[in-house]
Amino acid sequence: MGTAKTYDLHQRTYSFAHSIRDFARNVPKDICNIEDLKQLVRSSGSVGANYIEANESLSDKDFIYRIKICRKEAKESAYWLRLIHLFNDAELDHRRKKLTVEASEFVKIFSTIIQNRRTKSS
């Protein structure tokens, strides 16, 4: 993560979901993209929603479980982004790449949180 990135994960996960929705509104609609976009919108929103749940958890075990879901949903978002066909639109492809990088960074961040929490609990 570069120093220009925000470390406020509440805001960052919200911004990710919001950016995904903006991206989805601009993707060409065909039968495959429509289905993939539905999945992408769900998984991207789930990253932030589960992060909120994690921060409201009642135990370390519940916290780790919720953060694992955040990581899973971030991986899933990257997957759906890869499947969407952009019909050679360079601008949309650039946006997709940026969103895919953000999803990958979330995976790394959540993996680190899980590792640190486990180390702390041991």
Side-chain angles (χ1 to χ4, degrees), residues 84-103:
I84 293 168
H85 185 66
L86 299 177
F87 300 92
N88 300 316
D89 185 321
E91 180 185 337
L92 279 176
D93 192 44
H94 177 72
R95 290 173 66 187
R96 172 178 39 200
K97 287 176 183 171
K98 286 176 63 177
L99 291 166
T100 302
V101 167
E102 183 70 345

Side-chain angles (χ1 to χ4, degrees), residues 16-17 19-24 27 32-33 35-41 43-44 47 73-86 92-106:
F16 176 68
S19 295
I20 289 287
R21 282 151 178 76
D22 185 50
F23 170 79
V27 169
C32 296
N33 277 353
E35 293 305 313
D36 294 342
L37 286 167
K38 287 178 185 179
Q39 294 290 343
L40 174 61
V41 167
S43 62
S44 68
V47 175
E73 296 292 345
K75 286 180 185 179
E76 195 173 308
S77 294
Y79 175 79
W80 295 117
L81 280 163
R82 286 179 34 218
L83 282 175
I84 293 168
H85 185 66
L86 299 177
L92 279 176
D93 192 44
H94 177 72
R95 290 173 66 187
R96 172 178 39 200
K97 287 176 183 171
K98 286 176 63 177
L99 291 166
T100 302
V101 167
E102 183 70 345
S104 297
E105 287 184 10
F106 282 137

Side-chain angles (χ1 to χ4, degrees), residues 67 71 75 106-116:
I67 294 295
R71 182 178 62 186
K75 286 180 185 179
F106 282 137
V107 171
K108 292 174 188 173
I109 290 166
F110 294 130
S111 292
T112 300
I113 290 170
I114 292 164
Q115 183 179 9
N116 290 344

